[in-house]
Amino acid sequence: MNFVDIIMKKKAGFPLSDEEIRLFAEGAATGSVPDYQLSALLMAICFQGMDMRETTTLTMSMMHSGDVVDLSGIDGICVDKHSTGGVGDTTTLVLAPLAAACGAHVAKLSGRGLGHTGGTLDKLESIPGCSVDISEENFIRQVQEIGCAVIGQTKNLCPADKALYALRDVTGTVGCVPLIASSIVSKKLASGAGAIVLDVKTGTGALMKTLEDSVKLAEAMVGIGQYAGKPIFALVTGMDQPLGTHVGNALEVKEAIDILSGRINGDLLEVSLELGARMLIAGGQAENVGDGKAQMMEALRSGAGLRKLAEMIQAQGGNPAVCEDISLLPQAPVILPVPAPVSGYVTRMDTTAIGYCTQHMGAGRAQKTDIIDPAVGLVMQVRLGDYVEAGQPIAMLHLRNEQQAAPAIEAMQQAVEIGDKKPKKLPLVYAFVSANSIIYADGYGKVR
Ligand code: URA
Ligand code: CA
């Protein structure tokens, strides 16, 4: 088969055969198709799209381009959760221990920060001693014994996606539903989970900025699950402001511990309960969403969730005492406020800019080889709709040195818009997408 013919076929708008799609994934994984031809086909797919059969074939071909983790040694159904990426999104560290305390098996291969978004692995590594480099054997044993493990990928998972993602990044072909859906789901299927709950973010800090596009992405991923015979559910949740108040690695661990200790609640806990309840249903521990949330709230109240987090940290080599004494986490030496430039209501946040602001402070990487500063970040002092007086802090910056302050203050004053009119309250969960239905929050779309 001549690869040029495949490119021209897609360019003309025709669906590709399964064999042609397999050649594409194999060619990416092995390097047998040159980057310029892979890139041309990626661009053709961006313009012409792929139907569900093509998207599923691409997903399965990418999944089988490398190793597939075998979790069959773990009793019951392993459930996984994946977020399309956000800011202040520490749901994994809240819900994995809570779900495990309710009897779920959470076997999660996580990622590092990417662009403006944080990564769970970087957050875990901010805990003194905690490792995310765990052998597959120990990973399986930990999930079996404790109920949860969050580690980095050890094996050669989805090399086709690795190659294609790197090309998409530099050819303007990231933002395309079938390419994103197959990229995410291929990695989730290769990591072996029996059921997957997806958190598709929507808003100013999300990969997909509009609700319509976010729902399309959720539908595509749920649809792949249907074709592949794997239960996949998706919540579409808001990312028009950081989900938690803390942004930065150790700061986000601290917020997760504060939540599991019952000291604070709010949107981060709410979304964690919504996602966790679906994980408990998928894993067979809960009957319905209300039951799942009630079980998780009980695990929070009793302290069982916090104890699970301590057990998980200990099993991964970290100091579990951080769960009792958060001062054991890395602390930034300089803490300074970002004053509101004017009085008024917080009307909009550029959440992507807030993420980049912390990245520039050292909480994320601009280049792959950059070293993360675990202590730096910021703590938001306002939420959308709040009223602030000029000069009141909109955020507290946690900095390595005072030189970092001026650019961060300017970035945050730009990112947080203040106006005269109180904005409409936005929902936390916009939609729930399953194989048979889409259920929207009131006023945000039609029930299918
Ligand atoms: N995350 C992924 O893993 N793949 C994409 O294409 C986009 C986000
Ligand atoms: Ca995450």
Side-chain angles (χ1 to χ4, degrees):
M1 209 181 303
N2 188 334
F3 205 81
V4 180
D5 294 335
I6 300 179
I7 297 169
M8 296 209 301
K9 186 173 171 185
K10 182 47 78 181
K11 179 186 160 208
F14 294 104
L16 301 179
S17 71
D18 290 346
E19 198 193 342
E20 289 162 340
I21 292 169
R22 279 194 285 270
L23 191 74
F24 175 43
E26 270 169 34
T30 61
S32 65
V33 174
D35 285 356
Y36 50 82
Q37 288 186 321
L38 297 172
S39 303
L41 184 53
L42 286 168
M43 189 58 88
I45 292 169
C46 281
F47 280 114
Q48 296 293 359
M50 277 185 145
D51 63 26
M52 275 317 301
R53 194 256 322 149
E54 294 176 279
T55 307
T56 306
T57 302
L58 179 58
T59 307
M60 303 308 276
S61 308
M62 294 207 291
M63 167 193 172
H64 290 297
S65 68
D67 298 324
V68 175
V69 178
D70 179 6
L71 296 176
S72 60
I74 299 170
D75 300 333
I77 302 167
C78 275
V79 289
D80 196 354
K81 164 259 163 187
H82 180 79
S83 151
T84 59
V87 176
D89 172 13
T90 323
T91 49
T92 295
L93 296 184
V94 175
L95 67 75
L98 285 177
C102 299
H105 284 127
V106 185
K108 184 152 169 48
L109 301 190
S110 259
R112 303 226 169 246
L114 191 69
H116 67 284
T117 70
T120 305
L121 298 183
D122 298 323
K123 297 173 201 175
L124 278 172
E125 281 181 345
S126 75
I127 300 168
C130 193
S131 168
V132 295
D133 236 337
I134 311 274
S135 71
E136 189 171 334
E137 194 189 340
N138 287 339
F139 175 60
I140 289 173
R141 183 174 331 122
Q142 184 180 330
V143 175
Q144 181 75 41
E145 287 175 3
I146 298 175
C148 56
V150 180
I151 70 166
Q153 66 183 55
T154 45
K155 287 182 157 186
N156 175 34
L157 295 193
C158 296
D161 176 63
K162 228 166 263 157
L164 292 178
Y165 195 89
L167 288 176
R168 287 167 58 208
D169 208 16
V170 292
T171 56
T173 53
V174 169
C176 164
V177 166
L179 294 179
I180 299 171
S182 57
S183 167
I184 291 175
V185 178
S186 63
K187 284 176 286 203
K188 289 286 109 182
L189 294 177
S191 63
I196 300 159
V197 177
L198 297 167
D199 182 9
V200 179
K201 304 288 188 188
T202 192
T204 60
L207 188 65
M208 295 296 189
K209 313 285 183 213
T210 68
L211 179 59
E212 194 189 350
D213 286 346
S214 305
V215 169
K216 271 191 201 140
L217 177 59
E219 280 189 285
M221 296 195 286
V222 169
I224 296 168
Q226 256 179 304
Y227 267 88
K230 191 76 79 170
I232 300 183
F233 308 90
L235 284 171
V236 178
T237 69
M239 189 39 73
D240 279 304
Q241 59 187 330
L243 181 59
T245 56
H246 292 50
V247 187
N249 295 289
L251 288 168
E252 292 185 46
V253 172
K254 172 186 174 299
E255 185 168 28
I257 292 170
D258 280 341
I259 287 177
L260 291 172
S261 306
R263 285 191 285 271
I264 57 169
N265 49 33
D267 291 353
L268 173 56
L269 174 60
E270 283 303 312
V271 171
S272 301
L273 293 174
E274 292 281 351
L275 292 165
R278 268 79 183 192
M279 290 167 77
L280 294 182
I281 295 170
Q285 288 84 26
E287 302 265 327
N288 54 48
V289 176
D291 176 31
K293 283 197 205 172
Q295 289 190 43
M296 294 187 52
M297 278 309 290
E298 177 52 26
L300 197 156
R301 194 204 54 78
S302 70
L306 185 64
R307 286 194 295 278
K308 274 288 167 219
L309 179 64
E311 283 175 45
M312 183 177 99
I313 291 170
Q314 179 154 37
Q316 298 187 201
N319 181 1
V322 296
C323 292
E324 301 302 327
D325 180 1
I326 45 186
S327 74
L328 296 171
L329 289 167
Q331 316 257 348
V334 179
I335 300 179
L336 288 171
V338 177
V342 292
S343 301
Y345 292 100
V346 179
T347 51
R348 183 180 181 275
M349 292 191 201
D350 181 343
T351 312
T352 296
I354 296 174
Y356 277 122
C357 175
T358 61
Q359 187 209 69
H360 295 151
M361 290 156 65
R365 297 174 192 81
Q367 287 177 342
K368 242 177 159 165
T369 48
D370 287 351
I371 298 186
I372 281 192
D373 184 337
V376 300
L378 55 88
V379 181
M380 298 299 298
Q381 305 294 309
V382 291
R383 310 249 349 124
L384 289 174
D386 284 356
Y387 186 85
V388 282
E389 297 283 353
Q392 261 185 357
I394 52 178
M396 298 302 293
L397 303 173
H398 289 236
L399 305 160
R400 183 53 51 197
N401 55 56
E402 285 182 19
Q403 287 80 338
Q404 291 180 321
I409 289 172
E410 196 192 331
M412 286 303 292
Q413 285 178 335
Q414 293 270 333
V416 177
E417 291 178 18
I418 297 174
D420 297 334
K421 255 182 58 199
K422 191 176 164 87
K424 183 173 96 169
K425 190 166 165 56
L426 300 173
L428 266 183
V429 176
Y430 283 87
F432 175 65
V433 183
S434 63
N436 315 317
S437 68
I438 307 179
I439 301 166
Y440 285 97
D442 286 349
Y444 281 87
K446 279 201 220 46
V447 175
R448 190 185 70 190

